[in-house]
Amino acid sequence: MPLFLKPVLHEKVWGGRRLEDFGYRLPNDHIGEAWAISAHPNGKCEIVNGPYAGHTLDQVWEDHRELFGDFPSKDFPLLVKMVDVQSPQSIQVHPDDAYAYENENGQYGKSESWYIIDAEPGAEIVYGVTSEDRDEAIDKIKQDDYEAVLNKVTVTPGEFYFIPAGTIHSIGAGVIAYETMQSSDVSYRIYDYDRDAEGLGRELNKEKALDVIETNQSLTAATTDVEFVENHKRTKLIANDFFTMVKWEISGTLNYMKPREFVLISVIDGGGEVVVDGEIYNVSKGSNFILTSHDLDTVFEGDFILLVSFL
């Protein structure tokens, strides 16, 4: 039986209301993130079906590791979000595993990825810096000369970007993105446009940021690794030591072969049914679920776009 999850909503100063497009009920006008599949302490998703309904994903991971092929990691390793960015995110950077383990109480570092679901014309992201000289880049950051150092990229729907730990980054206004990342909430904020939410400027972490910044990252954009399976389009977006991500564009019936013991799946458009071991589940835009190691026979029926993440 797949595990369907209820997203955890996070208010952000840069958020809006567009996550309603995914069927989520928003409590206010500044919801920036829906943690769609998460066992992280800062956003534990609740399972909404089957014998584990009412349990959080971290509880099931801890108590029923057999559902995940007895995967040896102490913590659930991945985190999936949908983000609605209506004003620019802060300029930030994430540490790698070694730095986070030493400086953030043993947490994971954070390499992440963005699939651009929607973007207004001219919408931009910040991806890395313009200088390959680390000392030069750091000097400009210390002087708050961000226009001279930030590498800005115009984005369009359907593009994909991998953001390794150490890469300065930010999503600009007018973008809805799907993020797959290591299960970490460690961010070092460098600049935040002098915004504040309650009369106080949001905390910056420039000293730690300068420790972890890398300047030799090359832009990783949309892949061309495409194949057709049973007449359905399968695009491998990325495969590395942190995660693999695949986009499926399905119209009709797909007999799905699970590539690992457990996979994380989100419906980002359309809808239909997923039939798992003979049981039928209706899915629609905004549905998020995990196929476990016990889910042996899976068929997708309908017209939809899936994003699938796994280790």
Side-chain angles (χ1 to χ4, degrees):
M1 175 179 292
L3 304 177
F4 283 84
L5 298 120
K6 178 182 178 180
V8 178
L9 304 177
H10 286 267
E11 183 174 348
K12 298 290 181 180
V13 68
W14 39 262
R17 294 207 69 95
R18 291 196 63 195
L19 293 180
E20 285 181 326
D21 295 347
F22 295 88
Y24 306 148
R25 297 181 64 180
L26 307 186
N28 60 56
D29 294 338
H30 296 285
I31 300 302
E33 296 182 347
W35 291 27
I37 303 176
S38 169
H40 191 278
N42 293 346
K44 301 176 182 180
C45 289
E46 180 182 324
I47 294 162
V48 297
N49 70 304
Y52 307 110
H55 295 239
T56 54
L57 180 56
D58 62 305
Q59 292 175 314
V60 177
W61 174 260
E62 183 68 26
D63 298 337
H64 298 281
R65 193 65 62 86
E66 71 278 3
L67 295 175
F68 308 93
D70 292 314
F71 194 81
S73 171
K74 176 180 179 293
D75 300 314
F76 190 81
L78 297 178
L79 195 163
V80 165
K81 301 179 184 178
M82 294 184 188
V83 299
D84 170 22
V85 184
Q86 293 303 305
S87 61
Q89 290 180 329
S90 61
I91 308 300
Q92 59 189 266
V93 66
H94 307 306
D96 62 14
D97 286 341
Y99 189 94
Y101 185 84
E102 183 175 346
N103 295 277
E104 303 295 342
N105 299 316
Q107 291 194 63
Y108 286 118
K110 190 173 176 181
S111 288
E112 63 179 331
S113 62
W114 300 334
Y115 176 86
I116 309 300
I117 295 176
D118 196 18
E120 295 177 1
E124 295 180 325
I125 61 172
V126 169
Y127 190 106
V129 294
T130 56
S131 174
E132 293 186 3
D133 186 307
R134 189 173 188 276
D135 291 338
E136 178 184 348
I138 287 176
D139 185 59
K140 291 184 184 299
I141 291 169
K142 287 180 176 179
Q143 297 176 42
D144 296 329
D145 190 3
Y146 300 108
E147 287 302 316
V149 72
L150 298 178
N151 180 48
K152 296 182 179 181
V153 181
T154 301
V155 296
T156 57
E159 291 181 332
F160 176 83
Y161 299 88
F162 175 60
I163 302 94
T167 304
I168 290 179
H169 62 278
S170 171
I171 299 177
V175 174
I176 295 179
Y178 181 93
E179 301 184 340
T180 293
M181 64 193 70
Q182 293 179 270
S183 184
S184 172
D185 198 27
V186 180
S187 296
Y188 299 147
R189 195 178 291 131
I190 300 169
Y191 176 63
D192 195 39
Y193 305 94
D194 302 317
R195 290 182 294 205
D196 63 77
E198 298 176 355
L200 296 172
R202 295 207 298 168
E203 180 185 4
L204 301 181
N205 319 97
K206 191 177 287 190
E207 185 174 333
K208 286 184 175 179
L210 295 177
D211 282 345
V212 303
I213 287 171
E214 298 286 349
T215 58
N216 59 350
Q217 308 289 7
S218 58
L219 184 68
T220 305
T223 180
T224 56
D225 188 357
V226 176
E227 63 175 336
F228 286 85
V229 179
E230 299 179 11
N231 296 317
H232 308 288
K233 187 176 180 181
R234 178 188 184 275
T235 304
K236 182 189 288 184
L237 299 171
I238 197 163
N240 59 29
D241 291 340
F242 302 107
F243 46 78
T244 295
M245 243 182 112
V246 175
K247 175 184 176 182
W248 281 94
E249 297 170 72
I250 298 170
S251 181
T253 301
L254 169 68
N255 294 287
Y256 180 69
M257 297 292 292
K258 194 165 77 260
R260 288 299 303 267
E261 293 86 349
F262 66 100
V263 297
L264 287 55
I265 301 180
S266 296
V267 182
I268 63 166
D269 200 12
E273 297 175 343
V274 54
V275 184
V276 180
D277 297 329
E279 294 291 328
I280 299 173
Y281 304 89
N282 293 316
V283 296
S284 58
K285 182 177 179 179
S287 295
N288 304 285
F289 57 98
I290 299 172
L291 292 177
T292 74
S293 61
H294 291 188
D295 298 326
L296 303 179
D297 182 25
T298 303
V299 178
F300 290 104
E301 294 262 9
D303 291 281
F304 35 49
I305 299 176
L306 307 178
L307 291 178
V308 182
S309 306
F310 53 91
L311 296 164

